[in-house]
Amino acid sequence: MIKKIQCVMLVDDNKIDNFFHERIIKKHDATIKVLPMPFAEEALEYLKATDDRQQPELIFLDINMPGMNGWEFLAEYHKLPSENQQSMIVVMLTTSENPDDRAKALTHGILSDFRSKPLTKEMFEEVIEIYSKSQNQ
């Protein structure tokens, strides 16, 4: 049985990408809450909050962003409580064609995947399946 995703975070400074990716997610399931975060720092503050905010199960993370980039975000993400990390899947979603970036992503251990933009309906469904399998283990 595929587990339903309740909340997805988009960490990307490109507003057009966030808009497009949110539409893809909403077309898959209009009830999914989408949290577009244009700055990695803002996304981390959201994840660190101890209030009743809905935490994402899935994070699509861009590599190249001004200020804190995707790699720096991941370094800080590793400092979150382990129970938070275990309930989330982080997917690098980037325009980078650099094979070194793909290799570097795999060394972070938390990534379920490394995908090229743009997010497609099929890609989103594949990631949902990966999430579902990881939660059923």
Side-chain angles (χ1 to χ4, degrees), residues 12 14 45 76-77 83 103 118:
D12 195 327
N14 187 317
E45 288 306 313
E76 292 300 314
Y77 177 87
E83 61 270 8

Side-chain angles (χ1 to χ4, degrees), residues 9-96:
M9 180 179 280
L10 305 172
V11 184
D12 195 327
D13 63 307
N14 187 317
K15 291 179 182 179
I16 294 169
D17 285 348
N18 280 340
F19 175 79
F20 179 75
H21 295 158
E22 183 172 358
R23 287 184 51 106
I24 294 293
I25 293 165
K26 290 290 190 180
K27 281 185 180 181
H28 173 79
D29 186 338
T31 66
I32 295 174
K33 181 176 181 177
V34 179
L35 303 168
M37 299 286 176
F39 303 104
E41 299 90 346
E42 179 184 4
L44 279 170
E45 288 306 313
Y46 184 96
L47 296 174
K48 290 177 184 177
T50 56
D51 57 18
D52 291 336
R53 295 180 192 187
Q54 185 175 14
Q55 293 295 307
E57 293 109 329
L58 180 58
I59 300 172
F60 286 103
L61 176 65
D62 187 25
I63 293 175
N64 299 313
M65 295 180 283
M68 179 183 282
N69 66 32
W71 304 121
E72 294 163 331
F73 173 90
L74 287 175
E76 292 300 314
Y77 177 87
H78 279 298
K79 297 176 185 175
L80 293 174
S82 61
E83 61 270 8
N84 289 30
Q85 294 179 45
Q86 291 171 355
S87 65
M88 297 177 210
I89 288 183
V90 178
V91 177
M92 284 285 196
L93 190 60
T94 183
T95 56
S96 174

Side-chain angles (χ1 to χ4, degrees), residues 92-133:
M92 284 285 196
L93 190 60
T94 183
T95 56
S96 174
E97 297 293 329
N98 184 342
D100 292 339
D101 284 339
R102 181 176 296 276
K104 187 175 181 179
L106 295 174
T107 66
H108 282 279
I110 60 162
L111 299 173
S112 65
D113 221 335
F114 184 96
R115 304 284 182 125
S116 294
K117 288 181 184 178
L119 179 66
T120 64
K121 180 179 182 280
E122 296 77 20
M123 188 187 308
F124 184 68
E125 289 171 355
E126 288 171 10
V127 171
I128 296 279
E129 190 172 328
I130 291 167
Y131 170 78
S132 182
K133 286 178 183 176

